[in-house]
Amino acid sequence: MKIFAVAENYSSHRHEMGVAADRPDTPVIFSKADSALLKDRKPFFPPDDLGRIDYETEVVVRICRLGKSIPERFAHRYYDAVTCGVDFTARDLQARLKAAGQPWELCKGFDGSAAIGEWLPIEEVGDVQDVRFHLDINGRCVQSGHTADMLFSVDALVAYISRYFTLRTGDLLFTGTPAGIGPVHIDDHLDGFIGERKVLSFNVK
């Protein structure tokens, strides 16, 4: 299983990160180790030595068939379910890596950094580019988004990634976060929603 993610796929998030809000020519893709996967309501344990850990709420897509160099017009055939996920980011470490011009894997791909919830079949969700999602922490909404605001659509991302990597059944795609990221703390409780349906629920320990 491979875990792919896209950075800065919403103009609002690019703005809050101090990046030009214009759409770049190509998506910014990174990956996470399979040990980053956090599911089944298991708690998240922030690494002690990485400083501030931020939540980034995203719609996650599940790949359902083998594909390579997939044309964008056929990309919808290659995923079958979505959920709400959290791309945890070691923000202090990310700043140091960026300053040094180094890759992001250490701040993005550490163990437990890719939380996912219950899968919803595409048939239930409908148009993947018309999905509202949000994250509550301790019962308060802290971040919300709508997939219509993506700079690169799900189909465009699937097509682009498949130019470089063979996609296989069970691979995951984190599709980017909107504005509203922030830190998590010990004893926080996180709930993630697709529309009004809660699909993600876990604690920070």
Side-chain angles (χ1 to χ4, degrees), residues 64-174:
C64 64
R65 59 192 295 188
L66 184 72
K68 173 68 175 175
S69 299
I70 302 164
E72 185 173 339
R73 67 184 183 278
F74 297 136
H76 65 279
R77 301 178 181 177
Y78 288 81
Y79 53 87
D80 65 351
V82 303
T83 191
C84 185
V86 178
D87 166 22
F88 284 113
T89 303
R91 194 65 67 197
D92 297 334
L93 176 57
Q94 184 184 44
R96 295 197 297 271
L97 293 171
K98 281 184 174 181
Q102 296 178 356
W104 293 5
E105 274 76 9
L106 295 180
C107 70
K108 286 284 194 178
F110 56 89
D111 289 355
S113 64
I116 62 169
E118 169 194 352
W119 292 107
L120 300 179
I122 286 293
E123 292 77 12
E124 291 185 21
V125 174
D127 184 357
V128 74
Q129 296 305 146
D130 187 21
V131 175
R132 295 190 181 277
F133 59 101
H134 70 275
L135 178 73
D136 290 359
I137 296 183
N138 305 324
R140 181 177 67 88
C141 182
V142 295
Q143 191 177 24
S144 62
H146 192 288
T147 56
D149 297 327
M150 288 180 179
L151 296 177
F152 295 94
S153 69
V154 172
D155 289 358
L157 293 171
V158 169
Y160 182 76
I161 292 169
S162 74
R163 289 168 52 187
Y164 302 92
F165 301 92
T166 298
L167 297 180
R168 301 182 185 279
T169 300
D171 288 348
L172 306 181
L173 171 58
F174 282 68

Side-chain angles (χ1 to χ4, degrees), residues 39-50:
K39 60 180 183 176
D40 301 329
R41 295 178 175 254
K42 292 180 180 178
F44 172 62
F45 295 93
D48 293 333
D49 57 344
L50 293 187

Side-chain angles (χ1 to χ4, degrees), residues 19-63:
V19 180
D22 297 339
R23 184 181 186 269
D25 292 336
T26 58
V28 178
I29 303 297
F30 61 94
S31 61
K32 290 173 176 273
D34 57 4
S35 60
L37 188 63
L38 183 71
K39 60 180 183 176
D40 301 329
R41 295 178 175 254
K42 292 180 180 178
F44 172 62
F45 295 93
D48 293 333
D49 57 344
L50 293 187
R52 170 175 164 165
I53 305 294
D54 280 0
Y55 60 81
E56 297 188 10
T57 314
E58 314 194 5
V59 168
V60 184
V61 173
R62 183 178 68 191
I63 301 300

